[in-house]
Amino acid sequence: MKFPPCDRAVFKKNILYEVIFQARFPEILRISNEEPVAFQDKIRKNDFPETKIKKSDLPAGIPDSVRKALGVEEEYSFFSDEHDYRVVLTKQFIALSCNKYTDYEDFEKRLQSVLDIFYEIYEPSYFRRIGLRYRNLANKIVLEKDIENIRAFIPDHIAPEIKDEVGEEVVGFEKTILFADKVCTANVRHILSEFTGKFGKFNINDEKSYIIDIDCFTEEKIRKVENAISTSKRFNQEYIRNIFQWSITDELRTAMEPIS
């Protein structure tokens, strides 16, 4: 993708509220037909001691086709001590999410451990989709400073409408752009709106915010953990980093307080 290449940047104010890796695979019925006891035994010894099970509440005997159409399946969640990391396991995917992201090296270390355990126990034929998603939220709560005009954080090429003759009347927008090359597809969402709720460690209440949601994925078959890890790392270094910098202005960079 022809985004301007960017060096790695570190900021004092981290506006990331969630990072998610997800790997989808051909259905493994064993996961839904029996409790993942062996998986839990391994993963709780690797910094995920807490478990939560989300069971289907549909009556027994409902055909699998109906359950699938309704999006209903067992979901097993495993949490780190402080609930800053979470692993989700279903018969169709495994995911690792983080709501207190520090750096990619720490995230990758956790991801390597989780995927190694998953492969050892379930031996999937392959991953049919690998995705890495970064969700960013910029407002005065996250940045810990008064923001006179949140729209100054949004580049003209993202939303030219806010700078033209009707710009003063634009109170919000949501734009989704799909990029693709031979390696990766990137689904990128830019949103200006008022938000309420919990976003990672931040509790937001009717706060005007700018969201940058970058989801990079491939649907090429990946058969080894090492290849899944290298794919995720490439998304981080060659795609997400550049798309993020393309999605912000110098005003937001300054507000995030660059360290390097």
Side-chain angles (χ1 to χ4, degrees):
M1 294 179 189
K2 298 179 181 179
F3 293 96
C6 301
D7 293 332
R8 181 177 184 175
V10 180
F11 300 93
K12 184 177 179 181
K13 305 295 184 184
N14 186 356
I15 67 170
L16 267 172
Y17 69 90
E18 188 174 34
V19 176
I20 308 167
F21 170 93
Q22 186 192 74
R24 304 192 71 87
F25 45 81
E27 287 188 4
I28 300 177
L29 297 179
R30 176 182 164 196
I31 295 174
S32 57
N33 289 338
E34 64 183 40
E35 301 284 353
V37 176
F39 183 82
Q40 185 204 30
D41 282 347
K42 290 277 188 179
I43 205 167
R44 68 184 177 84
K45 297 174 183 177
N46 283 267
D47 300 324
F48 290 92
E50 298 187 28
T51 303
K52 181 179 180 181
I53 303 172
K54 180 182 177 182
K55 291 272 189 186
S56 165
D57 56 3
L58 291 179
I62 298 294
D64 284 343
S65 59
V66 175
R67 292 178 183 272
K68 188 173 183 179
L70 294 174
V72 177
E73 58 183 84
E74 274 81 11
E75 181 179 287
Y76 301 91
S77 295
F78 308 89
F79 298 90
S80 60
D81 284 339
E82 298 182 359
H83 282 220
D84 50 346
Y85 275 90
R86 177 191 182 198
V87 175
V88 176
L89 176 66
T90 76
K91 67 181 179 181
Q92 295 179 319
F93 73 83
I94 186 165
L96 175 68
S97 63
C98 174
N99 60 27
K100 292 182 181 178
Y101 184 86
T102 54
D103 56 56
Y104 185 77
E105 287 75 16
D106 183 61
F107 185 86
E108 185 182 272
K109 181 180 178 181
R110 300 259 191 167
L111 180 61
Q112 179 81 54
S113 175
V114 169
L115 293 184
D116 282 343
I117 292 169
F118 173 73
Y119 253 74
E120 176 186 350
I121 295 171
Y122 291 108
E123 300 179 331
S125 302
Y126 52 82
F127 289 135
R128 64 185 181 192
R129 186 184 189 277
I130 293 285
L132 184 64
R133 184 177 183 183
Y134 278 54
R135 307 174 77 187
N136 302 269
L137 175 75
N139 59 34
K140 68 180 184 181
I141 303 300
V142 175
L143 295 168
E144 299 179 310
K145 57 188 64 170
D146 290 333
I147 306 297
E148 293 184 4
N149 182 15
I150 199 79
R151 300 191 302 180
F153 294 162
I154 306 167
D156 292 351
H157 56 261
I158 300 295
E161 302 85 358
I162 65 177
K163 299 292 178 63
D164 65 18
E165 62 273 10
V166 299
E168 293 182 0
E169 298 174 353
V170 176
V171 295
F173 72 85
E174 180 172 350
K175 179 175 291 187
T176 301
I177 311 173
L178 196 65
F179 301 96
D181 62 14
K182 294 181 180 179
V183 174
C184 168
T185 298
N187 186 27
V188 185
R189 296 172 67 221
H190 301 98
I191 306 171
L192 174 67
S193 185
E194 291 187 355
F195 288 92
T196 297
K198 186 170 178 60
F199 295 80
K201 63 181 180 179
F202 305 107
N203 290 304
I204 308 300
N205 185 26
D206 290 332
E207 196 63 54
K208 179 72 79 173
S209 307
Y210 176 40
I211 278 185
I212 306 163
D213 187 343
I214 306 167
D215 184 10
C216 290
F217 63 91
T218 178
E219 294 181 335
E220 294 291 329
K221 291 181 180 178
I222 294 177
R223 300 181 183 275
K224 297 181 179 180
V225 169
E226 61 194 63
N227 294 336
I229 295 293
S230 63
T231 298
S232 175
K233 188 171 186 176
R234 186 172 185 182
F235 288 168
N236 168 267
Q237 294 183 345
E238 298 182 21
Y239 292 89
I240 293 173
R241 177 185 300 171
N242 297 339
I243 293 171
F244 175 75
Q245 292 289 348
W246 177 80
S247 299
I248 66 175
T249 61
D250 287 338
E251 286 85 349
L252 181 50
R253 291 186 187 92
T254 299
M256 292 167 63
E257 301 179 21
I259 298 173
S260 63

